[in-house]
Amino acid sequence: MSAVLDTPGHHEHADRPTGITRWLTTTNHKDIGTMYLWFSFTMFIVGGIMALIIRTELFTPGIQVVDPDRFNALTTYHGLIMVFGAIMPAFVGFANWLIPMQIGAPDMAFPRMNNLSFWLLPPAALLLITAQFVPGGGAGVGWTMYPPLTVQAPMAMDLTIFAIHILGMSSIMGSINIITTVFNMRAPGMGMMRIPMFCWTWVITAFLLLAVMPVLAGAVTMTLTDRHFGTSFFNAAGGGDPVLYQHVFWFFGHPEVYIIAIPAFGVISQIIPAFARKPLFGYTSMVYATASIAVLSFLVWAHHMFTVGMPVEAQLYFMYATVLIAVPTGVKVFNWVATAWRGSLSFETPMLFALGFLFLFTIGGFTGLVLAIVPIDVQLHDTYYVVAHFHYVMVAGALFSAFGAIYFWLPKWTGKMYDERLGKLHFWLSFIFFNVAFFVQHFLGLAGMPRRIPDYAPQFAEFNMISSIGAWGFGLAQVLLLYIVVKTIRSGKPAEQRQWDGADGLEWTHLPTPAPYHSFETPPVLK
Amino acid sequence: MNTAAANRRLLIKLSVVAAGMFGFGFALVPFYNAICNVTGVNNLIKRDSRPVNTQVDLNRTVTFEFDANAIGLAWHFSPVQRSVRVHPGEIVLVEYEVVNRSNVAVVGQAIPSYGPKLAAAYVRKLECFCFQQQTLQPGEVRRMPVQFVLDGDLPPDVNTITLSYTFFEVNAAAGEPRSGSAG
């Protein structure tokens, strides 16, 4: 600690630009982490407003609020913004804040590149948002951007493609930064099998990003050249094949699912031990399970496209390989349960979100197994069952984990404690309304309601109404999160150095609260 | 070795991985075509092997309807006969006519499609103008054959098959259409 505060030549705040220049030029991992998190929250609100327009349109059958083209554009950009603008940047934000502190490094390996990684995001977000308002309207192609629609879509598609390119570059640089930081900048004595689980999950995620973001960039580049430069990769008019796009996209798309889920696993692996006051059960098996999930994620992509027409042998292979992923995922879930087993449990807000995650993510995992079974998938493909499934893993999985992380580390970041009563209220509102919004969508899907439609048959009316009410409740509950965070920063009670007595990362044991602007300029001494 | 140098070396290695994966995305295209070729999926503009069973099934008759489109070409393209009735196993010859109504030579490639889609696997094309690109001089009229055998394994509920060809211009900017298959 003393090493942190008394470093000569680093009088805190003395040589630091202030105002907007500070944020534009900062290379500090904590500043950049903060910017990532606020950016992510902003995009979460933007994507959330889109979702609420969608759910308002679906409140009753018929066309009420938006015309079908606008509706299709809304589902497209809701998906893209939530995945690339909200969830991924949130976890990169946590990585920036936490990885250097957790491994005892002074900063990320490439601080300037880190700054660039962040500042690429706002232009990309701007492209995605303005794409709705350019002539021809937004590209209603779905977040998966399948041809032939993408080849025919209006100019908004080009903006979307450039946004994907920029986001991809940002992610790749972020990944290189994270891998290098964890590999090369750990404190002496901290071997790879001693780093906190959150760091491990991010290393694995970064490798996934590095492997698949360039493939997505390739896929959208091919779409772009098909649109404008006379190539025919996917354009059937020139002898291309739209199905090829689906293969390339899902080669990216399935690992992408784990790019979102695996850092969420990492957060849960930090929170549950802290509130069970026991070390994580089966650390080594957690590392290997996570790595095997990552490897398997490259081998199962075609389960997203069973209905495209593939040989039965291929369907069987992709079905069995997909079901196989349940094994390492099961290892993780049982390890978390075993961590909590006979622990001295307490249920503060981060723990509530972690347990909510555990419960709901498992449901999402099971519906994923259902969808992996070819004959069932043929029936449920592109129905609301799929929508329900991936919102259980994306929202109740990744997003709940992110909420948990915010409550867990907010005291360390701000030096102040959030309002526990309001935090719990936020959890229960989110938990209840999430299920109101999405559980009924399973029934809609089983009954045959297709996804991405603005109007539907009257027999779906009741469940859609319930789902829309849940969505509005869930959306409004997130305003409470903003209020809680702002209130904490403004007037929270001072937090302790080790706010959670079960938390044992270096950020809790070796650093004061709030975490100083520069930490671990000399590496910590580990026992 | 100090940390900064080690970081730089890792940066270079990881950048190479990212660049390699970008290339890999494009490499999936020929890879996909090769797989389609080997497994016979999407085998639309290549000659089929003759069916093993050449017995003509006179008890079954399937109606073939022919359709023709030209997209982005000043060509007039039409089937000579609108429809024929076919017994599985017999060798059928039909003709299409194409007229280049522009005053420049144009290269086109025809792509077949079938309705219902599953019929594609049972129509064995022995000769087709879609196996090559067609170059038409200004004003040229050409009659082009399609010779095929209908496989007797066609599911019994299919009584009518529509065979549709669409001509696309092989334009200079795009170069050759990708070889191998339509896919």
Side-chain angles (χ1 to χ4, degrees):
Chain A
M1 227 187 307
S2 58
V4 173
L5 298 175
D6 305 337
T7 314
H10 256 293
H11 301 288
E12 288 260 324
H13 310 268
D15 50 356
R16 200 167 6 131
T18 51
I20 184 73
T21 330
R22 166 186 170 187
W23 299 103
L24 283 171
T25 61
T26 184
T27 55
N28 180 286
H29 71 101
K30 299 186 182 80
D31 279 354
I32 292 173
T34 305
M35 289 196 294
Y36 263 107
L37 289 171
W38 279 112
F39 172 82
S40 156
F41 188 79
T42 313
M43 286 298 107
F44 176 57
I45 296 298
V46 171
I49 289 170
M50 291 177 175
L52 292 185
I53 299 173
I54 292 169
R55 278 318 319 173
T56 307
E57 174 57 52
L58 293 172
F59 187 70
T60 52
I63 303 289
Q64 283 82 227
V65 191
V66 288
D67 63 75
D69 283 337
R70 164 88 39 197
F71 183 90
N72 286 340
L74 283 168
T75 56
T76 304
Y77 292 99
H78 163 72
L80 287 171
I81 286 176
M82 285 305 200
V83 168
F84 292 104
I87 293 183
M88 285 168 66
F91 284 98
V92 181
F94 297 138
N96 266 295
W97 254 104
L98 298 170
I99 288 178
M101 295 202 294
Q102 289 191 329
I103 63 170
D107 203 309
M108 298 295 279
F110 306 107
R112 284 162 189 268
M113 192 164 83
N114 205 12
N115 174 291
L116 180 59
S117 299
F118 173 76
W119 282 109
L120 283 174
L121 293 181
L126 219 55
L127 283 173
L128 284 179
I129 294 168
T130 49
Q132 318 264 335
F133 305 105
V134 294
V141 295
W143 85 276
T144 52
M145 301 178 287
Y146 281 0
L149 276 180
T150 44
V151 181
Q152 301 156 354
M155 70 174 279
M157 194 64 223
D158 300 317
L159 304 190
T160 311
I161 289 172
F162 288 131
I164 301 284
H165 278 140
I166 298 172
L167 292 163
M169 280 188 267
S170 165
S171 293
I172 290 166
M173 287 192 284
S175 306
I176 292 176
N177 223 333
I178 287 167
I179 294 171
T180 311
T181 307
V182 177
F183 277 9
N184 288 355
M185 301 184 62
R186 300 189 308 278
M190 180 169 275
M192 275 308 276
M193 291 313 273
R194 279 186 71 181
I195 61 174
M197 201 56 214
F198 178 74
C199 300
W200 252 120
T201 55
W202 247 113
V203 167
I204 292 166
T205 303
F207 274 108
L208 284 180
L209 278 167
L210 206 57
V212 301
M213 284 311 280
V215 175
L216 176 67
V220 295
T221 307
M222 288 186 244
T223 306
L224 188 74
T225 58
D226 271 14
R227 286 168 61 80
H228 297 297
F229 304 110
T231 61
S232 300
F233 291 105
F234 311 130
N235 186 3
D241 190 343
V243 175
L244 169 63
Y245 174 85
Q246 297 192 21
H247 283 288
V248 180
F249 178 83
W250 286 112
F251 183 85
F252 148 82
H254 198 74
E256 169 69 17
V257 174
Y258 293 104
I259 286 166
I260 290 171
I262 288 178
F265 296 163
V267 166
I268 301 304
S269 302
Q270 303 291 128
I271 293 177
I272 291 183
F275 293 93
R277 291 156 184 87
K278 276 173 66 190
L280 182 66
F281 184 89
Y283 173 92
T284 313
S285 68
M286 280 298 212
V287 173
Y288 285 112
T290 313
S292 23
I293 291 174
V295 171
L296 286 173
S297 75
F298 287 105
L299 307 173
V300 298
W301 75 90
H303 66 213
H304 294 270
M305 37 191 291
F306 278 143
T307 57
V308 85
M310 67 174 84
V312 70
E313 296 84 357
Q315 293 184 335
L316 286 174
Y317 161 73
F318 283 110
M319 174 170 89
Y320 290 133
T322 304
V323 172
L324 193 61
I325 296 186
V327 176
T329 313
V331 169
K332 296 189 73 83
V333 170
F334 284 118
N335 278 345
W336 288 321
V337 174
T339 305
W341 182 254
R342 297 199 163 178
S344 312
L345 295 178
S346 61
F347 298 94
E348 286 87 347
T349 312
M351 184 62 164
L352 289 177
F353 273 109
L355 295 176
F357 164 95
L358 198 53
F359 181 54
L360 297 178
F361 183 84
T362 305
I363 293 180
F366 278 131
T367 55
L369 280 175
V370 171
L371 289 169
I373 311 299
V374 176
I376 304 179
D377 182 74
V378 170
Q379 168 72 20
L380 295 177
H381 186 84
D382 266 350
T383 67
Y384 260 82
Y385 194 88
V386 178
V387 176
H389 157 68
F390 68 69
H391 281 94
Y392 265 77
V393 289
M394 297 283 114
V395 180
L399 193 63
F400 273 27
S401 160
F403 289 157
I406 289 171
Y407 288 110
F408 188 64
W409 280 290
L410 199 59
K412 180 52 71 177
W413 297 336
T414 62
K416 292 170 188 166
M417 191 54 190
Y418 63 88
D419 186 329
E420 191 64 62
R421 205 174 44 88
L422 288 179
K424 283 180 176 159
L425 180 66
H426 174 226
F427 168 75
W428 285 110
L429 289 176
S430 298
F431 185 83
I432 292 167
F433 281 118
F434 168 80
N435 283 296
V436 173
F438 291 107
F439 200 78
V440 291
Q441 293 186 359
H442 292 109
F443 306 139
L444 285 172
L446 289 168
M449 177 166 161
R451 64 194 282 207
R452 295 172 174 156
I453 52 166
D455 187 8
Y456 51 85
Q459 69 264 32
F460 302 130
E462 284 81 4
F463 282 143
N464 269 298
M465 197 173 277
I466 294 170
S467 179
S468 291
I469 292 169
W472 271 98
F474 186 83
L476 291 177
Q478 306 322 314
V479 179
L480 184 59
L481 171 65
L482 179 64
Y483 173 75
I484 293 170
V485 171
V486 171
K487 188 179 166 207
T488 308
I489 294 170
R490 288 226 173 130
S491 60
K493 286 200 278 296
E496 294 159 36
Q497 177 185 337
R498 199 169 173 179
Q499 181 65 36
W500 317 110
D501 41 271
D504 59 355
L506 290 183
E507 76 273 30
W508 302 106
T509 55
H510 284 61
L511 290 177
T513 289
Y517 194 65
H518 296 286
S519 46
F520 294 135
E521 294 197 309
T522 43
V525 179
L526 302 178
K527 284 191 286 276
Chain B
M1 189 165 56
N2 67 8
T3 314
N7 287 354
R8 211 170 307 119
R9 284 179 42 154
L10 195 52
L11 169 71
I12 292 166
K13 283 183 200 162
L14 295 173
S15 307
V16 169
V17 172
M21 288 310 292
F22 187 68
F24 176 79
F26 284 87
L28 285 175
V29 178
F31 184 64
Y32 175 80
N33 287 333
I35 293 218
C36 289
N37 265 339
V38 170
T39 57
V41 180
N42 274 351
N43 182 16
L44 291 175
I45 54 171
K46 295 188 82 177
R47 195 180 308 275
D48 293 299
S49 58
R50 280 170 184 261
V52 184
N53 180 7
T54 50
Q55 188 79 42
V56 178
D57 180 3
L58 292 172
N59 294 324
R60 187 171 175 199
T61 309
V62 176
T63 305
F64 266 76
E65 294 173 340
F66 301 99
D67 175 50
N69 309 283
I71 289 184
L73 285 169
W75 286 11
H76 185 263
F77 176 44
S78 58
V80 173
Q81 53 285 87
R82 287 286 155 200
S83 70
V84 292
R85 293 167 69 75
V86 171
H87 299 302
E90 71 177 325
I91 294 177
V92 185
L93 180 70
V94 295
E95 282 189 314
Y96 274 72
E97 189 179 83
V98 62
V99 185
N100 182 0
R101 292 198 294 204
S102 72
N103 50 13
V104 288
V106 181
V107 185
Q109 169 71 54
I111 304 287
S113 63
Y114 297 86
K117 199 179 160 201
L118 63 86
Y122 302 95
V123 179
R124 305 295 189 95
K125 284 203 292 286
L126 308 176
E127 183 55 61
C128 177
F129 56 88
C130 60
F131 294 165
Q132 306 97 49
Q133 295 177 3
Q134 303 289 335
T135 308
L136 266 75
Q137 300 308 319
E140 184 180 344
V141 180
R142 182 178 297 173
R143 282 204 165 195
M144 303 174 300
V146 182
Q147 190 181 42
F148 62 89
V149 176
L150 180 61
D151 192 323
D153 293 336
L154 180 75
D157 56 327
V158 180
N159 299 314
T160 305
I161 293 173
T162 305
L163 173 54
S164 170
Y165 284 98
T166 305
F167 255 113
F168 297 101
E169 182 171 6
V170 180
N171 77 32
E176 301 275 304
R178 287 179 301 109
S179 60
S181 68

